[in-house]
Amino acid sequence: MSHPAYTTVIGLEVHVQLKTKTKLFCRCSTDFGAPPNTQTCPVCIGMPGSLPVMNRQAFLLGLKTAIALNCQIPEFTKWDRKNYYYPDLPKGYQISQFDLPMSQDGYLEIHAPKGGFPDRRIGILRAHLEEDAGKSMHDEVAGKADSRIDLNRTGTPLLEIVSQPDMRSAAEAKAYLTELKLLLTYLDVSDCNMQEGSLRVDANINLHVETDEGIVATPIVEVKNMNSFRAVERAMLYEADRQFDEWQRTGQRLGQVPKQTRGWDDQAQVTRAQRHKEESSDYRYFPDPDLVPVRVTADEVAEIRRTMGQLPATLRQHLQTTYKLDAYDAGVLVNQGSGLVHYFEQLVQAGCDPRRASNWLQQDVLRTLNDLKLTIESFPMPAQDLAQLLTSVDRGELDNSRAKDLFQHVIASGQSLEAARRELGIEKVDADQLTQLCQSLLDQNPRIVQDVRNGKQQAVGALIGQARKQNPNANPAQVKQLCLQLIQQSD
Amino acid sequence: MSLIEQSACQLSKGLASGEFSSVELTNECLRRIEQCDQTIGAFLTIDRDQALAQAAAADQRRAQAAARGPLDGIPVAVKDVLCTLDQRTTCSSKMLEHFVPPYDATVIQRLRQAGLVLIGKTNMDEFAMGSSTENAALGVTRNPWDTASVPGGSSGGSAASLAAHMAPLAIGTDTGGSIRQPAAFCGVVGLKPTYGRVSRYGLVAFASSLDQVGPMARTAEDLGWLLSVIAGHDPQDSTSAPQDVPDYGQQLQKPLAGLKLGFVPTHFGPGLNEEVERAVRAAIQTFEKLGAAVQQVKLPHDRYGVATYYILAPCEASGNLARYDGVHYGFRCDERAMLDRLAQEQQESGVAVEAESALVRMFRQTRAEGFGPEVQRRIMLGTYALSAGYYDAYYLQALKVRRLIRDDYLRAFEQVDLLIGPTTPTAAYRAGEKVDDPLSMYQQDLYTVNANLAGVPGISFPCGFTNSGLPIGVQLQAPHFEEGRLLQAVHAFQQQSDWHTQAPELP
């Protein structure tokens, strides 16, 4: 039985908590984890008579992000009230932006580092600012429903970034989120911590099914409750399958049924239909008369652009053209964040070969960071020291394995490179000493000499280990080369 | 003249010269309140101890020659819509009957900083929605000139407290006429300042783009002093204007010669009570005698004012009052009874009721029980007008008309310095007369709503009495931020008339 083919169509709504000291419309702290309802004031709990005053810093962080997402920035933007009743929304409305958002029509380029899908440009419909709601905690022990509300989060600035439905697979959705998070991290506008809720993702997904009558769109489903990028990926895969099954069963098309909201159940790895929170979704938006519209000048936009620093896409290009790294390596370095890229550039500036520097960073340094749960900013070995180590390898003064020993020792002992070098007894072996050592080894191992003469060159490998036992500083490549040379000469 | 009959200016001199103390004055006011507020019902809350403590502190400052200004130690009555720290602020609503704000409104802070004695919180139409103070849930206020008549509203308690000499100064708020109309009905002076002139922080919102706090008094001079205290930019209110506050006292003294006064002929058309018309025309003549030139002007769109207002104000109110849902503060319906009822319904219908239905039921029942009928009516009007499919036809359309009305004013003020006309179509009417006819009640706002829609300042002051002895008010309106010009005109008028010095006879 042949299945008709279909394309998955995904659009993502990402809510990002902006990294401000204080809330969007009052001066309460935005710190995460404080005891419930200790970071509140009359404004953010919506006391009668209180009034919002916009936090300029939040607006600027939003603007910076929108510019980095290649959005158009209108000169004039305003605040609107989104009206709905919910216990964790103390004013009965959320201050948001409706028809004149602070930015629109941008894009984000995504790519699959190991192939998988061609490079794509995902459209950004809009990015607008709004205040976060509080948190409801439902405790339903022994059938007794008990709800508590924490308003610490109420009023925290959020940037809602709405993509076009441009993603065509779960992998693309994940790549979009990864690239977006990387961008936000480079911009330093958000902690992007999904566990703490500083980055939240909702997805809209449907299918375009190829039928005899042409392409048919299935009903759009909104998926919520996805707590990791992996969950998004899995939910999208699951949902595409589920929707296809449903389409085959019901033949329902877009517009024939109301939009459905489903929640991702990470334990069961399924999506489940959610009940509607409100009976209707008529939010009765209207301009918030308590706030004044915000004007943004071209000069302000230019200034933000000028001071923004290099962003992941341009940085990847830069590493490829300036240091001749391949796209994959450039991607790995850039995806680790600007700190690692900076460290890399320090290594190269200190004279390291870019390829060697890149390899060391990707292997030894990243592994160490992972093992020790460190960031590159707190990495104990200064770039100058690592550069010195790597240039010794470049010059053949140190073999790779000795270099790794030394690296490990520096990390483990916290010593300086020089001290570690002394402690491990690492020193340059002079040529005569090495020749002497090799000759004595050859003399002690006539069978190996014979094997080599018989064409088994790899037999000399056994001598490398012995050489290093006698002098740990002996460079294996040099030992091998010298031994072969000496055997040849003795022929 | 007894202390309670004196203007704030006179009292200020008496306090400065040590003729009497603030404690004595405050005690006089408290005595007067005790004596006649049973009948008038101007106040919802009075804290004698706090008032007297503030008065004592003021006396101490005077004694140390450290008075905080001319009004230090003078009592002021404040409409119960402005938040007062640790003192209940009810908006005369069951919803907020026991609400005690944890902060002071900016206006309250400024009053305290200037040393005024907060003598009490005055009654009002619930959430400032009404023109008679009959929509009050927590008390009945009567007009001191005729206790069978309404004091006007929504700042009816503040106006009545002044007329009955229970306080020399008062604070009101005005969204569509709520200072000027009760001022007219009670024979006192009331000013709605330019939108943005006075901070709205701590003013419990009715319609945010129209609400404005303003001073009320018996003379223009007192009004100017009180305005100087409360006006000015407030960083906590994004809509407050950064303009400097001029010296209103100085502006008061300027002669009126050369002043161009405009009137709108249609304001003297059908619907205007003859006695009111006669008094207002006489006031215009007085201004001519004072040197003003009077001419006709047009406000072509002003007849749409009431309709526009009764779309925009309810729309904003529907949002502003959404917070009263029984969750965080204020009134909550009897939850136990509600849940029992719900369980019973569930049993009868055999349909399981989900947890969220209890929440929605709590919201609904709280609001149904906590709000009075007029508030509910306006919330419904606003909710309807903002609903999908109606927004463009109502809200958006009203916004456009509002702009036209504002433009009319700007054009009119190219020709004249001030506009003059009646404040209200009639003098105070009898209590109960219009309660069942909200539309005719809304028509009372005919002459006042446009100043709110345009954001310009307006003042009402007494210009006569009806045959039955009720005060008549006349209104002046000025360009944005020209409050000084209003005070100048009213001061000059009050030098030529004694309407403002008349007092009702009370027990």
Side-chain angles (χ1 to χ4, degrees), chain A residues 226-252:
Chain A
M226 298 171 290
N227 292 322
S228 66
F229 290 175
R230 218 163 110 104
V232 174
E233 193 178 20
R234 295 202 170 162
M236 293 301 96
L237 285 171
Y238 174 86
E239 191 54 25
D241 278 353
R242 192 198 64 79
Q243 288 187 16
F244 188 64
D245 281 354
E246 184 158 299
W247 185 77
Q248 285 190 313
R249 271 191 300 109
T250 66
Q252 273 173 351

Side-chain angles (χ1 to χ4, degrees), chain B residues 102-117:
Chain B
Y103 68 101
D104 268 338
T106 299
V107 165
I108 299 293
Q109 268 180 12
R110 288 181 184 232
L111 293 173
R112 290 194 206 273
Q113 274 157 17
L116 283 101
V117 173

Side-chain angles (χ1 to χ4, degrees), chain A residues 46 48-49 85 87 275 277 282, chain B residues 103 202 328-329 354 356 367 388:
Chain A
Y85 288 95
R275 234 162 14 86
K277 244 188 196 176
D282 183 358
Chain B
Y103 68 101
H328 300 281
Y329 41 74
E354 293 167 83
E356 204 149 281
R367 291 167 68 78

Side-chain angles (χ1 to χ4, degrees), chain B residues 269-337:
Chain B
L272 180 65
N273 172 283
E274 274 178 37
E275 286 179 291
V276 174
E277 176 169 357
R278 216 173 303 134
V280 172
R281 287 199 187 277
I284 294 175
Q285 282 173 0
T286 306
F287 279 111
E288 280 181 309
K289 278 183 209 142
L290 286 163
V294 178
Q295 68 179 86
Q296 290 188 10
V297 289
K298 279 186 186 149
L299 295 175
H301 299 92
D302 83 335
R303 65 191 162 168
Y304 302 116
V306 172
T308 304
Y309 175 84
Y310 277 98
I311 301 236
L312 293 180
C315 282
E316 293 185 19
S318 74
N320 285 331
L321 274 67
R323 68 193 65 201
Y324 308 109
D325 57 8
V327 177
H328 300 281
Y329 41 74
F331 173 78
R332 181 186 293 177
C333 68
D334 181 343
E335 230 176 335
R336 196 64 262 159

